[in-house]
Amino acid sequence: MHPAAQPADSISLISKVSCRICQSELLPILDFGKMPLANAFLDQKDFEQEYFFNLATGFCSRCFMFQLLEQPAPEKMFHQAYPFYTRSSQRMVEHFKQLAETLKKFLYPGAFLVEMGSNDGTLLENFQGTGIECMGIEPSANVAAEALKRGIPTQIDFFGPQVAAQLAKQSDGADVLVAANCLCHIPDLASVFSGLGLLLKKTGVAVFEDPYLGEVLAKTAYDQIYDEHVFLFSVTSMSEMLSSYGFEIFDLEPQWTHGGSMRYFICRKGQREPSASVAAWLAKESEAGFKTLKPYEEFRKRVEISKVQLLECLENFKRQAVPVAGYAATSKSTTVLNYCGIGPELISFISDTTPDKQGKLTPGSHIPVVPPEIFHQANPKAAVLFAWNHAAEILRKEENFKASGGKWIHFVPKVQID
Ligand code: DWN
């Protein structure tokens, strides 16, 4: 049985309506309704036990954090059968190589680097043979096993004060803690920062990289909202949150990854001079109304329109008896498919390179996931690009699809056929 497919009464659901950072009441923004776990790909025999929760977001008008109202327990999402491997995109492998070069500016032979949410070791492998001591902390045993196979020290665990205290005891403390696409998954940030307080050297640096709320709003990328992403950070909310835990941002760098991310360079309060870009980003967000409900309400309206347009587009293909495929069974696709009510009647199959997903059905929508070879053999006339964040990589490698008359269906930033 899939670890996520447990009887409903055994589920420990964390249900919150108050802000996870400052405990103020959350203002509801968007309710997607009943939603499965984004990465709970399943077999037909598990349908009856499929787990659903209510996917809805709220905004805190006190600390400005955009967050889920409810999130399933971390152990339900991250376990021995978590099917996302960082290595599944070549461009991400290159991105992490470049991130490693950036981190090396804060490191030296003998220094200690800890990665939170180290997945299959794609980032840490860049430090092999450098003399820099590394430790990955990763709760999903199957992806951690890939890192261990490559000789990358990895502890299978959730990061928190206990793990941090144990690492601090075994070292003189960490020079750098890095977490890419990880912090936004963790509901209990108080425990992360209490751990960071124990582990990080006084002058140490933490580097976080997460999908940026500003890009989600600008691109109407509502598919970035799913069970795993409990927070979508802005510079404003990140800065408020860090301040409450004794840390601050000293630099920022926007990234192209995951449709638009932000890299935050963090230190203990007062340890480093913040760069001018910190104040500039805070001012930019303030002008854009990030502390008010307005941009989030406008976002909700655009999301509703996007749903109607995507459904119209797929139903048009169906009326013309043109079968449509999906490209990449991403976590994000679970939100789109279930929110829009798209099933195998509108998308016959989804091509994905991950062996763990192939042969399974998509969460909630139950569309078969097939290897890319089937996509190439079937040569469909149209395909929804679910991994829109990897468009550059995919459109290049799938040139033949378009050359042979195939149409890409995009839905971010808006629904269009190309
Ligand atoms: O935060 C998260 C980000 C970093 O990664 C996690 N919560 C889970 C995951 O999100 P995602 O699944 O939306 O990630 P991607 O990278 O947009 O999609 C990966 C999926 O796409 C994999 O199943 C592999 C597939 N893929 C493919 O089939 N062909 C990807 C590429 C690049 C391809 O060419």
Side-chain angles (χ1 to χ4, degrees), residues 25-45:
E25 198 183 334
L26 289 178
L27 307 171
I29 301 291
L30 247 169
D31 191 340
F32 293 99
K34 200 176 114 176
M35 193 64 64
L37 303 182
N39 275 302
F41 293 84
L42 74 172
D43 298 315
Q44 193 165 1
K45 66 176 171 47

Side-chain angles (χ1 to χ4, degrees), residues 17-304:
V17 283
S18 57
C19 174
R20 289 174 179 79
I21 310 301
C22 72
Q23 283 73 51
S24 298
E25 198 183 334
L26 289 178
L27 307 171
I29 301 291
L30 247 169
D31 191 340
F32 293 99
K34 200 176 114 176
M35 193 64 64
L37 303 182
N39 275 302
F41 293 84
L42 74 172
D43 298 315
Q44 193 165 1
K45 66 176 171 47
D46 293 327
F47 282 179
E48 273 188 23
Q49 289 168 322
E50 191 167 15
Y51 166 74
F52 291 88
F53 74 112
N54 187 58
L55 181 68
T57 60
F59 169 71
C60 177
S61 58
R62 185 156 151 221
C63 74
F64 317 115
M65 189 63 86
F66 187 92
Q67 58 199 280
L68 296 189
L69 298 186
E70 279 181 15
Q71 193 195 28
E75 299 77 13
K76 277 192 77 60
M77 301 181 282
F78 308 109
H79 40 63
Q80 74 282 7
Y82 182 64
F84 173 74
Y85 296 80
T86 304
R87 210 171 290 282
S88 62
S89 153
Q90 191 46 43
R91 274 195 85 201
M92 288 307 291
V93 173
E94 284 154 24
H95 171 77
F96 283 119
K97 202 172 182 177
Q98 285 162 17
L99 171 57
E101 291 309 307
T102 300
L103 297 180
K104 281 177 192 167
K105 293 178 195 151
F106 302 104
L107 293 162
Y108 50 91
F112 186 35
L113 165 68
V114 176
E115 184 181 8
M116 194 168 81
S118 47
N119 198 277
D120 56 13
T122 301
L123 173 63
L124 290 186
E125 72 181 354
N126 294 293
F127 295 92
Q128 284 178 318
T130 60
I132 294 162
E133 299 290 323
C134 293
M135 177 55 79
I137 307 296
E138 170 54 55
S140 299
N142 60 320
V143 294
E146 286 300 311
L148 286 163
K149 247 192 254 168
R150 288 167 190 261
I152 298 158
T154 307
Q155 184 171 329
I156 301 166
D157 220 330
F158 288 97
F159 182 87
Q162 264 187 330
V163 169
Q166 165 229 322
L167 291 175
K169 211 167 141 193
Q170 293 163 7
S171 63
D172 299 332
D175 296 271
V176 173
L177 178 132
V178 60
N181 304 304
C182 174
L183 199 68
C184 70
H185 295 64
I186 307 177
D188 187 0
L189 291 183
S191 95
V192 169
F193 287 97
S194 128
L196 194 61
L198 295 171
L199 178 60
L200 200 65
K201 284 183 180 168
K202 193 174 169 217
T203 54
V205 167
V207 179
F208 300 129
E209 197 171 294
D210 286 286
Y212 174 55
L213 178 64
E215 291 285 351
V216 170
L217 299 181
K219 296 193 166 92
T220 316
Y222 68 92
D223 56 345
Q224 285 290 11
I225 300 168
Y226 54 90
D227 55 339
E228 296 174 17
H229 288 174
V230 60
F231 299 113
L232 284 175
F233 301 119
S234 61
V235 177
T236 308
S237 62
M238 177 66 92
S239 170
E240 293 279 330
M241 179 271 286
L242 289 171
S243 174
S244 69
Y245 299 131
F247 291 86
E248 66 186 359
I249 305 170
F250 68 88
D251 207 0
L252 289 162
E253 279 174 9
Q255 304 294 319
W256 65 268
T257 52
H258 292 288
S261 298
M262 188 62 81
R263 182 177 291 168
Y264 305 88
F265 294 85
I266 314 292
C267 61
R268 291 180 194 270
K269 257 185 201 172
Q271 281 298 320
R272 286 171 192 255
E273 191 62 34
S275 76
S277 62
V278 180
W281 273 96
L282 288 170
K284 188 176 158 183
E285 290 186 355
S286 182
E287 269 167 44
F290 277 34
K291 293 182 179 175
T292 70
L293 268 179
K294 197 165 171 261
Y296 311 106
E297 283 173 343
E298 288 171 356
F299 170 65
R300 180 183 58 227
K301 287 181 199 148
R302 291 195 303 276
V303 172
E304 286 161 0

Side-chain angles (χ1 to χ4, degrees), residues 185 226 228-229 331-332 352-354 357 389-390 397:
H185 295 64
Y226 54 90
E228 296 174 17
H229 288 174
S331 316
K332 299 180 290 294
D352 196 284
T353 51
T354 313
K357 296 182 186 177
N389 47 312
H390 297 304
K397 79 175 162 191

